[in-house]
């Protein structure tokens, strides 16, 4: 399917309406360099119009009846489902994501908007009797949640539709206008989402999608009319945002070097197949892709052999091919960086068990053993198809090694012991523990986020809705209860 459009340049979405600026940007496929599409870039005056519109409509948006918000979100879910193949092809083309994974992303976005519609209908106030003390007799509290105001959403390239959905759906559900700044490498999926949102009955100004370059993001971050900044991306950028606007409400979903622990009682075949696939899915460009594999010594040899075999069986190649499981990174520059990190680890004494080669923007799925403790492939977030394998003598050592990281997003523990599962939940310093599977598992309705340098706040529909709002109390007096 040709995902380019004859009507290019694609418009952006200014206060709910299509618009064009005085410049254009070309989006190319990282696999073969072909042009995927061209979009219009907003002028500074148009960005100002979008922010002013969001600010002006904030009261109307907060007062929208719940059924209007819910139906808008349900409409988006339906239309994404109807256009699923078209949008999956677009994601694959602009991102380089294999079509298999791109279809999965569209399916998740459908669920995200559906969950948003459902949660919007449940997002009601609570009633609390206050006459538990004599002085409060006849008093009742109505506790509601109120949006802080318009949201600036800055989204990454690796999930160009679903991670935009995780900003947009909760904002609309709570009645907060939203201005989306998609990743410059992959803006087209967000522009299609804007097209679908424009089909709803949401008031003008409730949403804008502004594909501006990264060097123009700072003025949006600093604008006082956008009191909430929701950012998903790299740690350095995220914390620079947090530091630059300390009086704003900032949520950060940042990176990680996720660990998968394989204990002696694990199903080794299952663990090897899952670790192999989910170290390399999205070409490793996922915050919860498996990066560190920690294996109990008694099964380390058997597991490593199975793991290397499973990695060798992965199909790497053209993301448009139905059989491809591992595609290119988002750019050749990104691949060169990953290649350099692997070479540095090998030069420092690591053993290369698989992969380690680069072809353009594609890195062959890579497995390293005996990696020195200070190597970047263990300490930093690789964001590429690279994993390290480390042997440990005990559960104690395994869990200590998981925690020996400045990140804390999610961890996976392969065990059949319920006691060990609950111990992992107690001891591991992460935002989520997945038992019996890789740390890469995420259900879109569950709370999702990290601790330490992996971020601030939580996504997942209900959690994000709470993050975008504050509690407000109305006390009724003189009632007969």
């Amino acid at each position: 399917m040709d995902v380019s459009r004859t009507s290019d340049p694609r418009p952006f979405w200014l206060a709910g309406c299509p618009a064009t600026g005085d410049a254009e940007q070309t989006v190319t496929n990282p696999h073969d360099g072909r042009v995927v599409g061209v979009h219009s870039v907003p002028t500074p005056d148009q960005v100002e119009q979008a922010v002013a519109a969001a600010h002006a409509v904030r009261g109307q948006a907060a007062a929208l009846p719940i059924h209007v918000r819910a139906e808008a979100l349900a409409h988006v879910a339906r239309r994404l489902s109807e256009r699923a193949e078209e949008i999956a092809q677009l994601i694959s083309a602009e991102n380089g994501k294999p079509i298999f994974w791109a279809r999965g992303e569209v399916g998740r976005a459908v669920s995200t908007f559906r969950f948003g519609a459902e949660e919007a209908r449940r997002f009601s106030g609570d009633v609390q009797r206050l006459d538990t003390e004599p002085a409060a007799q006849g008093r009742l509290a109505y506790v509601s949640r109120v949006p802080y105001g318009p949201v600036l959403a800055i989204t990454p390239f690796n999930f160009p539709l679903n991670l935009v959905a995780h900003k947009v759906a909760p904002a609309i559900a709570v009645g907060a206008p939203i201005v989306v700044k998609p990743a410059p490498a992959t803006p087209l999926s967000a522009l299609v989402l804007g097209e679908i949102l424009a089909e709803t009955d949401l008031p003008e100004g409730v949403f804008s999608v502004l594909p501006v370059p990264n060097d123009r993001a700072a003025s949006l971050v600093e604008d006082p009319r956008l009191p909430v900044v929701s950012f998903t991306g790299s740690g350095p950028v995220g914390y620079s945002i947090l530091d630059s606007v300390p009086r704003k409400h900032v949520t950060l979903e940042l990176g990680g070097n996720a660990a998968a622990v394989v204990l002696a009682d694990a199903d080794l075949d299952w663990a090897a197949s899952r670790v192999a696939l989910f170290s390399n899915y999205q070409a490793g460009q996922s915050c919860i892709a498996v990066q560190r594999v920690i294996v109990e010594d008694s099964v380390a040899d058997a597991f490593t052999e199975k793991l290397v075999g499973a990695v060798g069986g992965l199909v790497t190649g053209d993301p448009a091919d139905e059989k491809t499981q591992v595609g290119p990174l988002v750019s050749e520059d990104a691949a060169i960086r990953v290649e350099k990190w692997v070479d540095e680890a090998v030069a420092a004494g690591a053993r290369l068990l698989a992969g380690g080669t680069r072809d353009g923007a594609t890195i062959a799925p890579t497995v390293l053993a005996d990696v020195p403790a200070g190597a970047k492939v263990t300490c930093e977030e690789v964001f590429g198809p690279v994993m390290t394998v480390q042997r440990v003598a005990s559960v104690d050592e395994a869990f200590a090694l998981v925690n020996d990281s400045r990140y804390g997003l999610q961890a996976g523990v392969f065990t059949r012991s319920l006691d060990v599962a609950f111990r992992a939940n107690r001891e591991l310093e992460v935002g989520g523990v997945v038992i019996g599977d890789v740390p890469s598992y995420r259900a879109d309705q569950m709370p999702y986020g990290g601790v330490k340098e992996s971020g601030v706040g939580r996504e997942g529909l209900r959690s994000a809705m709470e993050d975008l709002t504050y509690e407000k109390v109305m006390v009724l007096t003189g009632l007969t209860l």
Side-chain angles (χ1 to χ4, degrees):
M1 176 184 292
D2 184 3
V3 296
S4 63
R5 288 166 34 135
T6 58
S7 59
D8 278 343
R10 290 176 184 259
F12 53 87
W13 295 91
L14 196 168
C17 300
T20 55
D22 57 7
E24 297 176 358
Q25 183 67 41
T26 299
V27 178
T28 58
N29 185 314
H31 173 68
D32 55 21
R34 67 183 172 86
V35 173
V36 178
V38 179
H39 67 84
S40 189
V41 178
T43 66
D45 285 346
Q46 288 171 319
V47 172
E48 163 60 28
Q49 292 171 35
V51 175
H55 179 71
V57 81
R58 68 193 188 284
Q60 184 183 356
L64 278 175
I66 287 177
H67 71 87
V68 174
R69 307 177 204 172
E71 180 49 39
L73 295 169
H75 174 84
V76 175
R78 289 192 298 268
R79 293 290 286 136
L80 288 174
S81 182
E82 291 166 0
R83 299 176 62 178
E85 184 61 21
E86 168 205 348
I87 296 171
Q89 295 285 349
L90 181 61
I91 291 171
S92 179
E94 70 171 337
N95 173 275
K97 182 175 300 190
I99 188 62
F100 168 80
W101 297 111
R103 290 186 182 122
E105 180 174 349
V106 177
R108 289 182 58 190
V110 171
S111 296
T112 297
F113 277 98
R114 177 169 54 82
F115 293 144
E118 294 167 354
E119 290 293 350
R121 289 191 167 95
R122 288 192 285 261
F123 203 64
S124 298
D126 296 323
V127 174
Q128 184 178 7
R129 287 183 62 153
L130 302 178
D131 60 341
T132 55
E133 300 296 329
Q137 186 167 331
R139 294 181 185 263
L140 186 79
Y142 171 69
V143 185
S144 59
R145 298 199 71 92
V146 179
Y148 288 107
V151 178
L152 170 62
I154 303 177
T155 59
F157 69 81
N158 56 332
F159 289 86
L161 178 66
N162 195 41
L163 290 186
V164 177
H166 271 283
K167 312 292 189 189
V168 172
I172 292 174
V174 302
I178 185 164
V179 175
V180 177
K181 194 209 89 63
T186 58
L188 302 181
S189 302
L191 294 175
V192 170
L193 182 57
E195 181 182 324
I196 293 173
L197 284 165
E199 299 169 355
T200 70
D201 293 329
L202 293 171
E204 288 188 7
V206 168
F207 76 92
S208 293
V209 182
L210 306 177
V212 296
N214 287 339
D215 61 9
R216 291 174 58 188
S219 61
L220 282 167
V221 168
E222 293 164 3
D223 197 304
R225 294 167 296 178
L226 299 171
V228 179
V229 181
S230 180
F231 172 84
T232 299
S234 73
V237 175
Y239 284 111
S240 71
I241 290 172
L242 188 65
D243 293 342
S244 70
V245 285
R247 290 177 176 82
K248 285 196 176 191
H249 185 76
V250 178
T251 65
L252 303 176
E253 201 279 276
L254 305 176
N257 55 359
V261 176
V262 181
L263 298 178
D265 64 338
D267 180 332
L268 299 186
D269 290 319
W270 165 255
S273 66
R274 297 293 284 177
V275 169
L277 184 60
F278 284 94
S279 176
N280 298 290
Y281 86 123
Q282 324 290 335
Q285 297 170 125
S286 168
C287 301
I288 46 177
V290 178
Q291 182 173 326
R292 297 181 296 149
V293 187
I294 300 166
V295 192
E296 202 164 5
D297 191 66
S298 62
V299 295
D301 289 340
F303 172 78
T304 302
E305 182 179 354
K306 292 175 185 292
L307 176 63
V308 172
V311 168
L314 296 174
V315 179
T316 303
D318 185 348
D321 190 322
E322 299 283 346
K323 296 179 182 178
T324 297
Q325 296 167 292
V326 185
L329 277 73
V330 72
S331 68
E332 187 167 2
D333 285 345
I336 290 170
R337 176 192 58 77
V338 172
E339 178 186 39
K340 182 179 178 181
W341 285 17
V342 171
D343 290 346
E344 288 175 356
V346 171
R351 288 188 298 124
L352 188 64
L353 303 184
T357 59
R358 180 180 66 84
D359 180 8
T362 299
I363 295 283
T366 299
V367 183
L368 295 165
D370 302 331
V371 179
K376 291 177 182 175
V377 292
T378 59
C379 297
E380 306 291 336
E381 180 180 38
V382 174
F383 226 60
V386 177
M387 73 179 100
T388 66
V389 180
Q390 184 164 353
R391 305 166 74 114
V392 292
S394 65
V395 176
D396 290 349
E397 187 180 350
F399 287 2
L401 199 56
V402 173
N403 290 339
D404 186 21
S405 169
R406 69 174 192 268
Y407 300 110
L409 192 47
Q410 293 197 161
V413 181
F414 288 88
T415 181
R416 303 184 197 195
S417 167
L418 196 58
D419 286 341
V420 171
F422 276 93
R423 178 182 173 186
N425 189 57
R426 288 192 309 272
E427 296 182 8
L428 296 183
E429 298 167 354
V430 293
V433 179
V434 184
I435 303 299
D437 206 353
V438 289
S440 320
Y441 177 79
R442 177 185 181 184
D444 291 286
Q445 73 272 34
M446 78 183 194
Y448 174 78
V451 296
K452 297 194 279 191
E453 291 189 28
S454 286
V456 178
R458 290 293 182 269
E459 290 191 343
L461 274 299
R462 179 77 187 195
S463 298
M465 290 164 68
E466 292 177 353
D467 227 347
L468 298 179
T469 56
Y470 61 91
E471 286 186 321
K472 187 173 186 178
V473 180
M474 177 177 68
V475 178
L476 301 174
T477 305
L479 301 178
T480 302
L481 299 173

